[in-house]
Amino acid sequence: MKPLLKLVWPVVAAAGMAACTSAASEEKKTVKVPDVQNVAITEVQTMQPRQAVTLPGELKPWNRVSLYAKVKGFIRDVRVDRGSSVRKGQVLAVLDAPEVLSELSTAQAQLQAQEAALQEQTARFRASRLTYNRLLQTSKVEGAVSLHELDQAQARMLADSATVAVATGNIQVGRSNYQTKKELRQYLTITAPFDGVITERNVSAGALVGAGDSNSKPLFVLEDSRTLRLTVAIPETFANQLAAKSAVTFTVNAIPEQQFNAKLARSAQSLVEANRSMLAEFDFDNKANQLKSGMYAEVKMPMERTAPTLFVPKTAVVSSSEKTFVIRVNNHKAEWVSVEKGNTLDSLVEVFGGLKAGEPVVRIASEEIRDGQALTNTQQ
């Protein structure tokens, strides 16, 4: 039995040594330096392209207003209807409010009474002033007028002067009150604030309207659509690419076969926090009444960067779970450079990051080309 064991142990030991040697060689293979890889390269380009993007827009009237009654009253007469073309200052409706007219008459009567009181006080002041001045002249003759009588005349003159000042103030208050009531009477006539078309009429003769009803609809809605505002929400990506006085073309579903032109008139110069977009308005001359306010439009808008930017082929950009990057060739080694993508132009894509124009990058990049891997036999 012992001779058999002597033969088995050397075999087992040799097998163990062989296994350890194999494992060590495999471990060396796993930590082996990456192989040199052949790649095709290209250069980072600098461009300032002008491109057109399509965005949704909405046509809005140049002016739009909802007309309400400022004072409470009954509709006596309605002189326009939906679709009526009106001129600035034209009467749209007339209200009846007897209490407003009564208050106006009361204010007028009070003003007249105050003016009469002022005339009376003024006459008294003149008389007392003349009396005082005469007594003052007479007092120069010794013993002609007592000092007590002279003091009383002066006091009456000063009192009458004060009553004149009070009466003058009362007249100013009365005139203000009368003017207020007079303006309220003017509110009984509803007029058009500008030229336009009545798009809504929500009242009829005999209806009670006026202030205090928070749920009431407007009497009329007036729109001026001779010039339309084409409103477009420009995404943040393109917010700095809208050139001043740029022109756009747009179409509407009602007339899909025809293109219309509009010019940039104004922009908010600020992003709306809700959707991170900037509102811009383009004016469209609609005197021919081709388009209607409220229509949606498909707008083709030219966009251009304010300065040249960097472009690389789309295949040069890798979007992985780690980051978005391009592979720059630096001393025949791969170098991952983090970038952000911008606009696309045919087979090129705009990139922002630590790149410079003219630098070589891998044309067809992938995660298999690791950061720091040796590159050779590069071809354009």
Side-chain angles (χ1 to χ4, degrees):
M1 190 68 173
K2 289 182 178 180
L4 181 59
L5 290 174
K6 290 180 180 180
L7 292 175
V8 171
W9 279 111
V11 174
V12 173
M17 292 178 64
C20 291
T21 303
S22 176
S25 62
E26 288 181 0
E27 184 177 357
K28 289 181 179 179
K29 287 182 180 179
T30 57
V31 299
K32 184 177 180 181
V33 177
D35 295 332
V36 177
Q37 185 167 348
N38 295 334
V39 293
I41 66 171
T42 186
E43 290 185 352
V44 179
Q45 303 179 44
T46 177
M47 301 173 61
Q48 192 177 359
R50 183 181 178 90
Q51 61 175 344
V53 296
T54 302
L55 297 173
E58 183 180 1
L59 291 168
K60 296 183 178 180
W62 182 253
N63 285 317
R64 185 179 190 274
V65 65
S66 297
L67 300 175
Y68 293 85
K70 184 175 179 63
V71 297
K72 202 156 190 174
F74 292 94
I75 297 291
R76 184 175 71 189
D77 186 18
V78 179
R79 301 185 182 181
V80 294
D81 209 332
R82 191 188 304 270
S84 299
S85 296
V86 299
R87 306 291 294 179
K88 181 178 179 179
Q90 180 176 336
V91 176
L92 308 180
V94 180
L95 279 67
D96 267 338
E99 61 276 13
V100 173
L101 300 178
S102 176
E103 290 175 358
L104 177 61
S105 299
T106 301
Q108 186 177 14
Q110 290 175 347
L111 179 59
Q112 291 173 350
Q114 290 162 351
E115 288 175 345
L118 176 60
Q119 291 178 357
E120 180 183 358
Q121 297 300 331
T122 302
R124 288 182 180 179
F125 171 64
R126 287 175 181 173
S128 61
R129 185 177 59 183
L130 287 173
T131 301
Y132 171 73
N133 288 334
R134 287 170 182 167
L135 289 175
L136 185 62
Q137 290 294 329
T138 306
S139 66
K140 293 179 181 180
V141 178
E142 186 176 354
V145 179
S146 66
L147 293 178
H148 177 68
E149 188 177 0
L150 184 62
D151 290 340
Q152 285 184 334
Q154 185 181 18
R156 281 194 298 270
M157 181 188 69
L158 294 176
D160 290 339
S161 175
T163 56
V164 168
V166 172
T168 303
N170 290 337
I171 283 185
Q172 292 178 350
V173 173
R175 284 175 179 171
S176 297
N177 185 41
Y178 174 69
Q179 189 63 31
T180 300
K181 302 302 181 183
K182 192 175 181 181
E183 289 179 357
L184 285 177
R185 185 186 65 178
Q186 293 177 356
Y187 288 129
L188 296 177
T189 303
I190 309 298
T191 59
F194 51 81
D195 297 350
V197 176
I198 301 296
T199 60
E200 286 187 31
R201 171 198 162 181
N202 299 311
V203 292
S204 298
L208 177 63
V209 297
D213 189 358
S214 58
N215 296 323
S216 64
K217 292 183 179 180
L219 276 63
F220 307 97
V221 176
L222 177 63
E223 289 186 1
D224 178 10
S225 298
R226 291 172 298 178
T227 299
L228 293 175
R229 302 173 187 261
L230 175 60
T231 304
V232 183
I234 301 176
E236 182 179 1
T237 307
F238 304 111
N240 287 342
Q241 301 181 41
L242 184 63
K245 298 182 180 179
S246 60
V248 298
T249 60
F250 66 95
T251 58
V252 295
N253 292 333
I255 316 175
E257 70 280 1
Q258 186 173 350
Q259 280 193 343
F260 302 93
N261 300 315
K263 291 184 178 180
L264 176 65
R266 62 201 67 85
S267 66
Q269 299 297 328
S270 177
L271 298 182
V272 179
E273 293 183 1
N275 54 11
R276 293 297 172 185
S277 63
M278 180 182 73
L279 291 179
E281 289 185 351
F282 301 80
D283 290 347
F284 174 73
D285 188 352
N286 193 42
K287 291 180 180 177
N289 201 29
Q290 291 178 288
L291 303 178
K292 304 295 185 292
S293 63
M295 286 183 172
Y296 284 101
E298 192 173 80
V299 186
K300 290 185 179 180
M301 187 176 306
M303 294 294 181
E304 184 178 1
R305 293 285 186 189
T306 56
T309 53
L310 302 179
F311 283 82
V312 297
K314 293 180 181 178
T315 55
V317 181
V318 181
S319 297
S320 68
S321 58
E322 299 179 24
K323 58 183 178 179
T324 300
F325 62 93
V326 298
I327 302 175
R328 177 167 54 196
V329 180
N330 188 4
N331 292 328
H332 300 287
K333 289 186 178 181
E335 181 182 357
W336 286 16
V337 180
S338 298
V339 296
E340 291 184 6
K341 294 193 292 185
N343 300 332
T344 58
L345 181 65
D346 297 330
S347 62
L348 302 178
V349 62
E350 189 178 26
V351 291
F352 302 93
L355 293 175
K356 296 181 180 179
E359 288 186 328
V361 295
V362 177
R363 180 184 296 173
I364 304 177
S366 67
E367 293 183 87
E368 296 179 358
I369 304 175
R370 303 305 300 172
D371 191 13
Q373 183 176 357
L375 304 175
T376 188
N377 294 335
T378 56
Q379 303 175 8
Q380 294 287 345

